[in-house]
Amino acid sequence: MKNIIFIAPPAAGKGTQSAIIEKKYNLPHISTGDILRDEAKKDSELGRYIREVLDSGSLVKDEITYELLYNRLSLDDCKNGYVLDGFPRNIEQAYKYDEILSNLNQELGYVIRLDIDEETLEKRITGRRICEECGTVYNINSDNEKPKVESICDKCGHRLYQRNDDNITSFKHRYDLYMEKTKPLLDYYAKKGILYVINGNDSVESVAKEIDKVLKEGM
Ligand code: AMP
């Protein structure tokens, strides 16, 4: 199995779809956002720096992100492929990723773009709730995606939380950054002939089916 990268704006469904692929294809889901959020919990200078950046919706310094990502991709469970969500986010990171792949003797694989309206993203951002234990993502603004019991995970019964950066101000900043820095990467990958475009406005199940078709055809 090849590696898979998602390129899409905040709350487009990268994490949700990555978790589905992780289960179905038995590939580790690597999210730079999750790695950084874990680091931000630490009571250290680095932890405090990352916490501040995450709350503002800006990007963490490249060197810090590279090191954390390189360490994760070097682990044994990535040898047979992985789903990468949240990296690369600008052209410098894309060049760095090519370098990391070559150092680790890994292939680029698939790049999946999720296309989605800004209005839908705003609704998802404000309604997103995440299980503190198993990471399942819910949306209280959608009848199909809200938990059965308010603030409680359907799967494991633990509490749901809202990310500090899931508010309109931070979203606007993250969305602008995506449009300015990340979207241009799509051309970079289109030229390599490995970009697949999926309509992310559809339901979680329909998007998952479309992704499945891409992965099955390309295997
Ligand atoms: P995400 O979970 O992908 O929405 O990422 C949450 C936050 O983590 C972003 O708003 C950034 O502050 C930080 N982050 C995630 N990935 C990267 C990256 N590749 N480079 C720099 N910062 C990142």
Side-chain angles (χ1 to χ4, degrees):
M1 185 75 196
K2 296 178 190 163
N3 303 318
I4 301 158
I5 320 179
F6 276 104
I7 297 201
K14 300 186 290 285
T16 303
Q17 295 299 331
S18 299
I20 293 174
I21 298 173
E22 176 175 49
K23 218 166 156 192
K24 186 154 189 188
Y25 291 88
N26 198 20
L27 293 176
H29 167 201
I30 310 213
S31 149
T32 43
D34 284 348
I35 294 175
L36 291 165
R37 276 185 286 278
D38 275 350
E39 208 57 38
K41 287 181 196 147
K42 297 184 183 161
D43 186 19
S44 62
E45 207 177 309
L46 180 64
R48 275 187 292 280
Y49 158 75
I50 295 178
R51 205 151 53 231
E52 240 172 63
V53 179
L54 293 185
D55 288 354
S56 75
S58 297
L59 293 185
V60 171
K61 279 189 206 140
D62 283 347
E63 313 78 69
I64 295 174
T65 312
Y66 294 158
E67 192 181 335
L68 292 168
L69 180 66
Y70 191 88
N71 292 343
R72 181 62 190 91
L73 295 183
S74 312
L75 298 183
D76 267 359
D77 65 341
C78 291
K79 290 223 162 73
N80 296 321
Y82 51 81
V83 193
L84 179 56
D85 139 27
F87 191 96
R89 264 176 148 97
N90 55 39
I91 195 71
E92 292 77 24
Q93 293 191 357
Y95 296 148
K96 186 68 187 185
Y97 186 51
D98 288 341
E99 212 181 295
I100 293 176
L101 287 169
S102 134
N103 282 343
L104 294 173
N105 226 349
Q106 294 173 351
E107 249 189 273
L108 192 51
Y110 309 85
V111 177
I112 298 180
R113 163 184 180 167
L114 297 177
D115 268 349
I116 184 156
D117 306 330
E118 190 179 348
E119 206 183 303
T120 311
L121 293 175
E122 279 199 26
K123 263 196 219 150
R124 290 198 186 171
I125 281 280
T126 50
R128 176 155 67 183
R129 299 292 183 274
I130 304 166
C131 174
E132 63 185 7
E133 179 67 18
C134 70
T136 300
V137 179
Y138 295 87
N139 197 304
I140 59 168
N141 293 334
S142 154
D143 285 341
N144 296 331
E145 294 169 41
K146 62 182 176 198
K148 293 194 180 84
V149 180
E150 200 184 317
S151 303
I152 299 294
C153 179
D154 293 352
K155 292 191 185 155
C156 70
H158 282 82
R159 290 197 71 77
L160 306 183
Y161 74 95
Q162 182 172 25
R163 274 169 50 169
N164 279 351
D165 58 349
D166 276 353
N167 57 69
I168 289 293
T169 316
S170 177
F171 166 72
K172 296 262 185 232
H173 185 47
R174 286 152 68 202
Y175 187 76
D176 289 347
L177 265 180
Y178 171 78
M179 295 304 276
E180 189 195 338
K181 303 276 185 194
T182 313
K183 205 161 173 247
L185 294 186
L186 295 168
D187 272 350
Y188 181 70
Y189 290 119
K191 284 186 189 131
K192 290 181 185 274
I194 49 157
L195 180 71
Y196 300 85
V197 183
I198 306 272
N199 179 1
N201 293 293
D202 290 341
S203 67
V204 170
E205 293 73 25
S206 319
V207 175
K209 261 193 205 149
E210 290 305 307
I211 294 175
D212 221 28
K213 277 190 213 157
V214 168
L215 301 183
K216 287 208 168 108
E217 267 169 33
M219 267 182 354

